[in-house]
């Protein structure tokens, strides 16, 4: 069997500096990302038939412990470890399960709880899996003081400069672009704008790489729900389903070691092979792509990957950077999320965070970083050792997709940014306790459109009509009645501090749709408002 595969729900946590949050152990972060993906899809965990869970650092069966936070339904859970491409490997496995007819709904989940500082080996009593890679670098470039990974990719950059005349400023421009992109991503570890001069002037790590051209270590999680076409249609998920047109994984080739090239050693040929297979299978050429999330663990790797993915001819990546063909207004928008350099790089989550960003872009839900006219999206994730995963995405049912029904806040803002989020949290708890009773009494779906002072909007859909009810942040933004208010006024209304009639006549409360249902609003107001 070779069935179509669709992503119907995605979610992620904000990526954080390791140890910056005390309440951010891997089960907590996995629960947050997993629940967001399920809520995005409008599914319960009971619908998931298998789970592929990726992480690099941790004991065996951390995957099981992570999904226990979502539910304990006895489904198979596979633990995945493939270095920096762990998240996309879990995604690839989930796709294979659905594509091969082994399951109709699979969860791909990735997380990482990391140590501060550069990556280092944890086992010194056995062969290091990177020994052949290190041998290539040492024989051709020697070994200098500094992080090994930075030397590997930095030396690939040096080789590119010597071979094609690329300048250090080309690598710095890539980092400048990615840091700039991340200022519009609330999930990014870094959201600070840096000038090109600041990036070039940051501490030298390994020439040509400065500190701001290197990805940080990060804590975080991301998740995706993958389904078959029959499942999508059965659950009426066509409007948000993103099809994985093709996805391939490749590993090191003889050239990785025999040619004594640092560019080849860090995975150029395996990325190129996977990309060529994906283009061929999907029947799509690189020039048909609009938006790309690729593995920029170091700015040098982003530049050489342009050529490996066929985004420009070999040796022309520097010219591509100078033309601005890697950002808004150019031929492609590459790493609109901020990439690994600025968004962060929790190893097990990275590939799934890339998937989330591309799904948001194709669904028109990326807010200020939305790529205009995004129709085809390309993903690239690489792990030294080695594994390269490349995938192509597009909307699965464009005729069913309506931009008006998609809630921009799913990726441009987070629920936690709103004061009203506490109210909807209590409504959710009430539905979990007595949902059947509330649904029988209400029999309606409420859509709340809540605006903050900066005009950013959050959308909550409270379903008090189906099953035992649910609360979902982020769209589709349709209901039997829509209530529009400011964040502050919504909080005051739902906690009984603002009279609904007064709010309505003062213009603070606007209602669209079923006015009779709106009158029942008090039935779902949280009890014990003083706690809020």
């Amino acid at each position: 069997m070779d069935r179509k595969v669709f992503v119907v729900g995605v979610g992620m946590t904000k990526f954080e500096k390791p140890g910056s949050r005390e309440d951010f152990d891997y089960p907590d972060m996995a629960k947050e990302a997993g629940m967001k993906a399920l809520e995005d899809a409008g599914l319960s965990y009971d619908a998931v038939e298998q789970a592929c869970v990726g992480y690099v650092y941790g004991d065996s069966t951390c995957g099981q412990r992570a999904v226990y936070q979502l539910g304990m339904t006895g489904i198979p859970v596979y633990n995945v470890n493939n270095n920096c491409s762990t998240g996309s490997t879990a995604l690839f496995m989930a796709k294979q399960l659905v594509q091969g007819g082994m399951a109709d709904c699979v969860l791909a989940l990735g997380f990482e709880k990391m140590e501060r500082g550069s990556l280092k080996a944890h086992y010194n009593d056995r062969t290091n899996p990177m020994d052949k890679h290190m041998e290539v670098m040492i024989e051709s470039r020697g070994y200098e003081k500094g992080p090994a990974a930075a030397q590997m990719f930095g030396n690939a950059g040096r080789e590119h400069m010597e071979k094609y005349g690329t300048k250090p400023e080309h690598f710095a421009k890539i980092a400048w672009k990615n840091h700039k992109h991340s200022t519009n991503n609330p999930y990014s570890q870094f959201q600070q704008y840096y000038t090109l001069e600041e990036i070039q002037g940051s501490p030298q790590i390994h020439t040509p790489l400065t500190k701001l051209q290197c990805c940080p270590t990060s804590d975080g999680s991301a998740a995706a729900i993958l389904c078959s076409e029959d499942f999508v249609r059965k659950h009426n998920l066509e409007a948000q389903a993103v099809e994985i047109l093709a996805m391939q994984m490749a590993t090191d080739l003889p050239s990785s070691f025999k040619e004594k090239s640092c560019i080849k050693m860090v995975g150029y040929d395996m990325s190129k092979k996977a990309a060529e297979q994906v283009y061929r299978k999907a029947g799509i050429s690189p020039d048909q792509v609009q938006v790309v999330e690729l593995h920029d663990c170091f700015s040098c790797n982003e530049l050489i990957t342009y050529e490996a993915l066929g985004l420009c001819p070999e040796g022309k990546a520097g010219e591509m950077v100078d033309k601005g063909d890697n950002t808004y207004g150019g031929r492609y928008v590459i790493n609109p999320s901020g990439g690994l350099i600025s968004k962060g790089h929790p190893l097990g989550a990275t590939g799934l965070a890339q998937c989330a960003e591309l799904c948001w872009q194709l669904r028109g839900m990326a807010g200020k970083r939305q790529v205009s006219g995004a129709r085809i999206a390309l993903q690239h994730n690489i792990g030294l050792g080695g594994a390269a995963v490349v995938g192509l995405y597009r909307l699965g049912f464009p005729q069913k997709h309506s931009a008006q029904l998609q809630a921009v806040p799913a990726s441009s803002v987070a629920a936690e940014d709103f004061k009203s989020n506490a109210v909807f949290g209590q409504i959710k708890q009430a539905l979990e306790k007595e949902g059947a009773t509330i649904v029988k009494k209400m029999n309606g779906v409420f859509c709340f459109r809540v605006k903050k002072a900066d005009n950013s909007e959050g959308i909550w859909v409270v379903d008090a009509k189906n099953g035992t009810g649910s609360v979902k942040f982020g769209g589709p933004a349709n209901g039997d009645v829509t209530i529009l208010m400011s964040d502050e006024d919504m909080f005051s209304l739902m906690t009984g501090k603002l009279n609904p009639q007064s709010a309505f006549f003062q213009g603070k409360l606007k209602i669209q749709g079923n006015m009779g249902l709106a009158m029942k609003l008090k039935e779902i107001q949280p009890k014990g408002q003083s706690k809020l």
Side-chain angles (χ1 to χ4, degrees):
M1 297 180 69
D2 192 5
R3 305 190 300 175
K4 290 184 177 182
V5 182
F6 301 86
V7 183
V8 296
V10 290
M12 64 179 287
T13 69
K14 183 181 184 300
F15 288 175
E16 306 272 5
K17 181 179 180 180
S20 61
R21 279 178 53 181
E22 292 183 2
D23 61 339
F24 210 46
D25 199 359
Y26 75 89
D28 306 306
M29 57 179 83
K31 180 181 180 182
E32 181 181 337
M35 287 302 298
K36 283 180 176 178
L38 289 166
E39 288 172 2
D40 185 34
L43 299 170
S44 68
Y45 184 69
D46 291 347
V48 176
E49 298 169 13
Q50 301 198 44
C52 302
V53 186
Y55 61 97
V56 175
Y57 298 109
D59 293 324
S60 181
T61 69
C62 282
Q64 281 88 335
R65 180 64 181 84
V67 299
Y68 289 168
Q69 304 295 111
L70 303 173
M72 298 182 69
T73 54
I75 63 170
V77 177
Y78 310 102
N79 291 274
V80 181
N81 182 344
N82 229 2
N83 219 342
C84 300
S85 61
T86 291
S88 58
T89 301
L91 181 68
F92 181 72
M93 287 179 62
K95 172 186 170 289
Q96 300 285 76
L97 289 169
V98 175
Q99 185 176 353
M102 303 299 292
D104 281 308
C105 181
V106 180
L107 167 67
L109 173 68
F111 57 82
E112 210 69 62
K113 184 175 175 64
M114 300 185 71
E115 298 174 346
R116 296 184 183 182
S118 58
L119 303 182
K120 51 185 177 289
H122 284 258
Y123 300 100
N124 299 313
D125 61 343
R126 63 205 71 185
T127 300
N128 189 306
M130 304 294 295
D131 64 342
K132 290 184 177 294
H133 301 77
M134 290 295 294
E135 183 180 323
V136 169
M137 185 185 78
I138 292 169
E139 287 183 4
S140 59
R141 297 280 169 174
Y143 190 84
E144 301 177 23
K145 183 179 180 181
Q151 292 190 55
M152 287 179 165
F153 287 99
N155 285 332
R158 291 180 184 182
E159 183 179 322
H160 200 278
M161 289 193 292
E162 295 164 3
K163 195 171 182 179
Y164 302 113
T166 313
K167 304 296 183 185
E169 68 184 51
H170 290 121
F171 304 116
K173 283 181 178 179
I174 286 171
W176 169 77
K177 165 189 70 75
N178 290 349
H179 282 292
K180 185 178 181 181
H181 287 177
S182 75
T183 61
N184 291 320
N185 187 357
Y187 291 106
S188 181
Q189 184 169 340
F190 301 120
Q191 296 169 44
Q192 180 179 343
Y193 173 77
Y194 294 97
T195 64
L196 182 61
E197 291 73 22
E198 286 174 322
I199 287 167
Q200 292 173 314
S202 62
Q204 195 77 209
I205 303 300
H206 182 82
T207 305
L209 294 170
T210 63
K211 184 176 181 180
L212 290 175
Q213 296 178 58
C214 307
C215 70
T217 51
S218 315
D219 287 352
S221 180
I225 308 294
L226 277 61
C227 301
S228 65
E229 185 171 0
D230 287 345
F231 188 98
V232 169
R233 294 185 184 280
K234 179 180 178 181
H235 291 83
N236 299 314
L237 295 169
E238 293 95 333
Q240 66 193 76
V242 173
E243 183 181 358
I244 303 178
L245 289 170
M247 184 171 283
Q248 292 292 329
M249 178 186 288
T251 190
D252 285 311
L253 298 162
S255 58
S256 301
F257 308 127
K258 288 184 177 180
E259 295 189 18
K260 304 302 180 184
S261 160
C262 285
I263 290 176
K264 299 293 182 73
M265 177 268 291
V266 295
Y268 181 93
D269 281 353
M270 64 178 174
S271 292
K272 184 177 181 180
K273 178 182 179 180
E276 289 173 345
Q277 290 176 329
V278 162
Y279 293 137
R280 185 166 57 251
K281 185 170 179 63
I284 285 176
S285 61
D287 59 7
Q288 292 177 271
V289 172
Q290 291 82 39
V291 57
V292 183
E293 282 283 307
L294 62 77
H295 196 90
D296 61 317
C297 50
F298 300 91
S299 59
C300 294
N301 197 53
E302 176 163 332
L303 184 138
I304 65 175
T305 301
Y306 295 166
E307 299 173 12
L309 297 180
L311 303 179
C312 69
E314 190 170 310
K316 300 295 183 181
E319 293 180 21
M320 179 177 170
V321 172
D322 287 336
K323 289 178 182 177
D325 277 341
N326 58 355
T327 188
Y328 297 88
R331 188 172 181 181
Y332 307 99
V333 179
I334 298 175
N335 287 328
S337 67
L340 283 61
I341 285 175
S342 198
K343 181 177 61 179
H345 185 25
L347 310 186
T350 292
L352 285 157
Q354 291 178 326
C355 173
E357 176 67 23
L358 295 177
C359 286
W360 285 326
Q361 290 286 348
L362 293 171
R363 289 162 63 183
M365 299 171 67
K368 293 180 180 178
R369 61 185 190 283
Q370 180 64 50
V371 175
S372 179
R375 299 179 302 281
I376 304 292
L378 175 67
Q379 176 186 7
H380 165 266
N381 191 201
I382 196 169
L384 287 180
V389 180
V390 177
L392 279 170
Y393 303 80
R394 73 177 174 196
L395 282 177
F397 305 87
Q399 71 280 9
K400 295 280 189 178
H401 176 80
S402 169
Q404 289 182 324
L405 295 181
Q406 298 302 329
V408 169
S411 67
S412 61
V413 293
E416 294 78 12
D417 295 338
F418 293 81
K419 189 175 182 181
S420 301
N421 187 50
V423 171
F424 293 106
Q426 287 211 0
I427 293 173
K428 185 176 181 179
Q429 290 177 18
L431 288 171
E432 289 171 353
K433 291 179 181 177
E434 48 183 328
T437 302
I438 294 173
V439 166
K440 185 176 181 181
K441 188 183 297 184
M442 303 295 289
N443 192 32
V445 178
F446 294 81
C447 175
F448 295 87
R449 300 184 65 170
V450 183
K451 278 198 173 183
K452 295 202 301 177
D454 63 1
N455 279 329
S456 58
E457 184 180 65
I459 296 178
W460 280 265
V461 176
V462 178
D463 184 346
K465 187 175 186 177
N466 301 293
T468 57
S470 64
V471 177
K472 178 182 176 182
F473 176 75
N478 53 343
D480 298 315
V481 61
T482 299
I483 295 166
L484 301 92
M485 295 190 78
S486 73
D487 187 29
E488 195 68 40
D489 289 340
M490 177 66 74
F491 184 85
S492 297
L493 176 76
M494 296 299 283
T495 54
K497 297 174 183 176
L498 179 63
N499 180 277
Q501 286 81 11
S502 299
F504 182 80
F505 288 113
Q506 291 170 10
K508 295 181 178 180
L509 167 62
K510 296 179 181 178
I511 301 171
Q512 299 173 350
N514 189 332
M515 185 66 75
L517 183 60
M519 299 294 284
K520 297 181 180 181
L521 188 60
K522 63 179 182 295
E523 299 290 343
I524 59 169
Q525 283 180 290
K527 305 297 187 289
Q529 296 93 326
S530 60
K531 292 180 181 178
L532 289 168

